[in-house]
Amino acid sequence: MRWLLLALPLMISACTYLPGSRHLIVSNQQSLPEPTLHYLGVGGWLVHWKGEGVLLAPSFSNPGGLGIRGLPPLRVKANPQRIDALMPSARDVKMLLVGHAHYDHLLDVPRVMHIHTPKATVYGSQTVGHILHAGKVDARRIKVLVADEIANPYQPSRRGTWFYSNGQSAKDGTRPQGPTPGMIRAMPIHSEHAGHAFGINFIQGQYDHPLGTLPQSLFGWRLGEVTLAWLIDLLDENGKPVYRIHYQDSAATPPLGFPPLIADGKRIDVEILCAASWDQVHNYPAALLRITQPRTLVLGHWENFFASDPKKPARTIPLQGYKGLLKQMPHYTPVIPEPFSQVPLPPHE
Ligand SMILES: [Zn+2]
């Protein structure tokens, strides 16, 4: 029995693979001209646009159980040295979007807010807000989204709310007050977090009060009362979208996470999907892609993040295959970036 206990972590660790053996062709482009999608690993992305920036759920600490690669940790703690070493320059970031409160999407956000993105407001659920309170993030820099502000895929004609990088907001189809609402806007969409295994999400729940200290257990980073997908528009000087990005930070049962009808009718240019747990829900992402039909399809959250080594090529998530995922997207050749590489945006239309 003792040998089994010792052998199990090593067996799981051995179940991370180099992506080629999992049918994934990984891109590793560096030093591309902006604008690009800069992949930070896990659910983290950074986009610079016309002097501003948008950052999605940065995660660098990536602890592992007993420090063993591929083994989920039971206790989690941010690693400030690692965050500071790996976080690219993001001082222009005005919006930091967090889809749910699991540690691999939120653990590093307080440090990033304090040190790396001094101009950013973070957008997320009430639970995200309550946890960030314990991270000593200034309450004026936290925008908690309430139900009325979150687009609902079950009511596709109900107008969603755009949050602009200058802090204003407006229902889709209307313009915020003032001449310069900022160069970026984002719309939260009600989505779902797929199960981790056997269709079960092992870290559920929410917080109804601000926390005094950050959770130290994996299970303390509760999912939150809602999981959010996002529409993100990169705007021109007149407030017109140049690029429209749809982002899902976790696989979700259709139609959860689907974008609502948008008044301007602009198509979606880039779809960023979550590869992890794609097989825990049905028709992901085939159903979503029939709606969004992006020009560029990008897969994130594909790589092992349990005690991962950023200096080595990323390996896949333990026990996660991707052959079936690629079959769900027969009309696309998805871009699967190496962490800390860039993905070019498609040409202007
Ligand atoms: Zn995650």
Side-chain angles (χ1 to χ4, degrees):
M1 185 66 189
R2 197 186 313 160
W3 284 109
L4 188 66
L5 286 176
L6 277 174
L8 206 59
L10 294 173
M11 275 160 57
I12 292 175
S13 169
C15 286
T16 73
Y17 296 89
L18 285 168
S21 67
R22 302 270 102 175
H23 312 278
L24 301 183
I25 298 163
V26 172
S27 72
N28 191 358
Q29 301 191 74
Q30 305 286 343
S31 309
L32 296 181
E34 300 290 355
T36 68
L37 305 172
H38 198 152
Y39 184 42
L40 307 179
V42 201
W45 299 85
L46 173 62
V47 180
H48 303 291
W49 177 256
K50 295 188 186 287
E52 299 185 351
V54 56
L55 177 61
L56 309 176
S59 177
F60 307 105
S61 294
N62 298 351
L66 308 170
I68 294 175
R69 182 182 74 198
L71 196 63
L74 287 179
R75 300 189 80 70
V76 294
K77 202 168 174 239
N79 180 333
Q81 293 81 15
R82 194 161 146 140
I83 297 169
D84 296 350
L86 293 174
M87 180 72 213
S89 175
R91 300 191 75 76
D92 57 359
V93 165
K94 302 283 275 291
M95 309 183 85
L96 198 166
L97 311 179
V98 178
H100 65 277
H102 284 163
Y103 83 91
D104 60 321
H105 297 245
L106 193 60
L107 176 69
D108 291 351
V109 168
R111 176 81 183 177
V112 168
M113 291 285 287
H114 290 313
I115 306 289
H116 298 278
T117 58
K119 291 188 273 192
T121 297
V122 57
Y123 296 77
S125 67
Q126 182 72 74
T127 295
V128 165
H130 285 332
I131 294 177
L132 290 178
H133 178 83
K136 310 263 185 301
V137 177
D138 187 336
R140 289 167 298 186
R141 299 181 64 198
I142 302 172
K143 167 59 189 163
V144 168
L145 299 160
V146 297
D148 181 54
E149 295 168 328
I150 300 169
N152 187 335
Y154 287 110
Q155 297 169 280
S157 59
R158 211 190 74 184
R159 288 189 289 174
T161 302
W162 289 109
F163 292 87
Y164 286 79
S165 49
N166 74 347
Q168 290 177 287
S169 64
K171 285 283 174 199
D172 182 51
T174 66
R175 262 185 80 87
Q177 302 290 313
T180 52
M183 306 311 295
I184 300 170
R185 64 180 183 177
M187 176 187 289
I189 305 165
H190 196 119
S191 188
E192 182 193 43
H193 192 295
H196 296 100
F198 316 113
I200 302 165
N201 190 319
F202 295 115
I203 315 168
Q204 302 209 46
Q206 62 188 72
Y207 286 109
D208 300 320
H209 57 86
L211 300 196
T213 53
L214 288 170
Q216 293 184 7
S217 138
L218 167 78
F219 298 100
W221 294 80
R222 297 178 186 167
L223 178 66
E225 68 282 5
V226 63
T227 296
L228 302 170
W230 302 89
L231 266 187
I232 301 162
D233 275 0
L234 308 180
L235 305 170
D236 70 10
E237 283 70 14
N238 302 314
K240 214 172 149 237
V242 180
Y243 286 108
R244 178 159 291 160
I245 301 166
H246 181 253
Y247 169 71
Q248 258 193 328
D249 72 353
S250 45
T253 306
L256 290 162
F258 283 20
L261 297 172
I262 299 298
D264 61 21
K266 175 171 171 41
R267 73 175 295 180
I268 286 169
D269 299 289
V270 179
E271 175 73 59
I272 303 177
L273 293 178
C274 172
S277 293
W278 69 271
D279 49 0
Q280 298 294 308
V281 290
H282 292 295
N283 292 319
Y284 183 85
L288 174 68
L289 289 173
R290 281 202 290 276
I291 299 295
T292 58
Q293 301 182 22
R295 295 200 284 146
T296 295
L297 174 60
V298 188
L299 294 187
H301 215 327
W302 63 268
E303 80 284 4
N304 170 51
F305 56 96
F306 305 124
S308 54
D309 181 348
K311 293 196 195 74
K312 291 193 182 144
R315 300 171 72 91
T316 57
I317 294 173
L319 311 175
Q320 177 75 74
Y322 291 118
K323 202 173 170 185
L325 172 64
L326 299 177
K327 276 200 185 140
Q328 289 263 341
M329 43 182 85
H331 308 300
Y332 292 91
T333 306
V335 183
I336 305 162
E338 184 76 22
F340 306 102
S341 73
Q342 291 162 290
V343 178
L345 292 178
H348 282 201
E349 274 199 323

